[in-house]
Amino acid sequence: MRKAKQYDWKDSNLALFGSDTEKNVKKESAQTEKAWKGAGSKLGLQIWRIKKFKVTDVPKEEYGSFYNGDSYILLNTYKKDPDSMAFDYDVHFWIGKFSTQDEYGTAAYKTVELDTLLDDKPIQHREVEGHESALFKSYFKSLTYWKGGADSGFRCVEPTSYEPRLLHVHGTKKKIECKEIPFCMDNLTKDDVFVIDLGLKIFQWNGDDANKDERYSAGQYIRVLKSERSGKPEVIVLDDQTLDDVPEELLEVIPKSSNEDPDEDLEDPDPKEKVLFQLSDRTGSLQFNEIARGTAVKRNLLKNDDVFILDTGSHCYVWTGPQASIDERRNAMTYAHNYLSSTKHPLLPVTCIKGGAESNEFNKAF
């Protein structure tokens, strides 16, 4: 089975995002998108998956689970002022590690379409698998990453041909993550909890040093999996496990090592200093220039008639002045994306901020 190709973010380009084509999406066109029916009409989270260029609903029981071969759109509807009748919105497009350029280009395009439908009120965010913003993570009690695309799920295959999976459950009550990892014995440890999913038989490996939150969350995951499979799987819990007492049954089905390449950590481990860029067309053409770095980055450098991109090292903000030109606004995200692609930390979350509607997180970044 050929391994999915991981996209090279150093050469990336969101061709549709910020282009004239993308920004010319009319509100009337957005209203014809069936997936947007009821979008933003009530408080709470809504999630859609991009599947063959189409926007498809994600069942609520699958919220928090993401396939790394797909791209998603998330809309969170809330009220800043509980007494107000008006809704506020955050819209995120999430890019899986192996999502194709067509898929995340469509997600970006459709995100803008949704923004248009909601009268440009949402704050837009770009999220990349494994590097999500704190806001994105706050929507879920836990995050689960699955290999492949949506069609690779259990419901789409016969139990006898189900490809075994190994999920790593780790963290604390504050945040538990469940991530699919290469299916091999070398990845089992006594420090965490693992779910060994064989389709019609599911093992919960509770490492000897695993904490109670990891054990509880793994049990929740398994209950969901069993429910999705009409209660058919047999569940076996292995408590206080070490590598010296692996059941013979598992030794027969799990290879010792894996041929898969380990995930690449594309983030530069060195601490970053803040950098502020200005995007302006006051000379007659768009100019993108660094204007401050480190301690010289100040809030009062932002001017209402331009766009500014702030790279904090852990988050990238696109600030659009209320008097910024159409070209500056249309190309802001593209410049931010392409700038990050040229750095050693291309996967940072990106948040678009409108002048006059700054978030606390943005203000604290200075």
Side-chain angles (χ1 to χ4, degrees), residues 63-87:
Y63 281 15
S65 293
F66 297 91
Y67 287 92
N68 66 8
D70 289 337
S71 290
Y72 293 74
I73 296 173
L74 296 85
L75 174 67
N76 185 43
T77 303
Y78 62 100
K79 288 185 179 182
K80 292 179 182 177
D81 180 359
D83 298 324
S84 172
M85 295 296 292
F87 287 150

Side-chain angles (χ1 to χ4, degrees), residues 297-323:
V297 173
K298 303 293 184 183
R299 180 73 166 73
N300 60 12
L301 292 173
L302 304 181
K303 307 300 181 186
N304 284 342
D305 55 353
D306 284 324
V307 167
F308 293 82
I309 294 172
L310 172 64
D311 177 3
T312 70
S314 60
H315 204 117
C316 183
Y317 293 96
V318 178
W319 184 88
T320 303
Q323 279 85 53

Side-chain angles (χ1 to χ4, degrees), residues 162-182:
Y162 184 76
E163 183 176 349
R165 294 175 170 182
L166 177 64
L167 289 90
H168 181 202
V169 183
H170 65 102
T172 62
K173 185 176 182 180
K174 194 170 183 179
K175 182 59 62 177
I176 296 287
E177 286 194 356
C178 181
K179 181 177 182 180
E180 187 179 354
I181 59 176

Side-chain angles (χ1 to χ4, degrees), residues 155-336:
R155 297 173 181 173
C156 302
V157 295
E158 293 298 323
T160 53
S161 61
Y162 184 76
E163 183 176 349
R165 294 175 170 182
L166 177 64
L167 289 90
H168 181 202
V169 183
H170 65 102
T172 62
K173 185 176 182 180
K174 194 170 183 179
K175 182 59 62 177
I176 296 287
E177 286 194 356
C178 181
K179 181 177 182 180
E180 187 179 354
I181 59 176
F183 188 74
C184 66
M185 291 296 304
D186 287 346
N187 283 333
L188 293 173
T189 71
K190 68 173 187 174
D191 300 320
D192 293 320
V193 173
F194 298 83
V195 175
I196 303 165
D197 181 6
L198 304 181
L200 293 179
K201 184 174 286 189
I202 302 173
F203 291 86
Q204 178 176 332
W205 167 290
N206 294 329
D208 190 44
D209 295 332
N211 64 52
K212 60 180 178 61
D213 298 318
E214 292 166 338
R215 297 174 190 232
Y216 176 75
S217 292
Q220 285 187 310
Y221 281 121
I222 291 174
R223 282 192 288 275
V224 171
L225 291 177
K226 186 172 181 178
S227 176
E228 288 178 347
R229 300 169 195 178
S230 303
K232 294 179 180 179
E234 175 188 359
V235 177
I236 301 171
V237 178
L238 304 172
D239 278 322
D240 303 322
Q241 290 294 293
T242 68
L243 295 179
D244 296 325
D245 57 357
V246 181
E248 188 67 30
E249 183 176 3
L250 289 183
L251 290 174
E252 293 176 356
V253 295
I254 305 181
K256 183 178 186 313
S257 59
S258 170
N259 293 324
E260 295 186 39
D261 297 326
D263 290 344
E264 295 182 29
D265 185 1
L266 297 177
E267 294 292 316
D268 184 354
D270 298 328
K272 323 286 190 315
E273 61 178 347
K274 298 175 186 176
V275 189
L276 183 65
F277 298 88
Q278 183 177 31
L279 178 63
S280 175
D281 62 1
R282 64 183 62 193
T283 63
S285 62
L286 283 172
Q287 302 291 321
F288 182 67
N289 297 305
E290 178 183 326
I291 61 169
R293 180 177 288 267
T295 57
V297 173
K298 303 293 184 183
R299 180 73 166 73
N300 60 12
L301 292 173
L302 304 181
K303 307 300 181 186
N304 284 342
D305 55 353
D306 284 324
V307 167
F308 293 82
I309 294 172
L310 172 64
D311 177 3
T312 70
S314 60
H315 204 117
C316 183
Y317 293 96
V318 178
W319 184 88
T320 303
Q323 279 85 53
S325 72
I326 292 175
D327 280 346
E328 290 166 351
R329 295 198 304 268
R330 287 179 177 177
N331 290 280
M333 178 63 93
T334 299
Y335 272 87

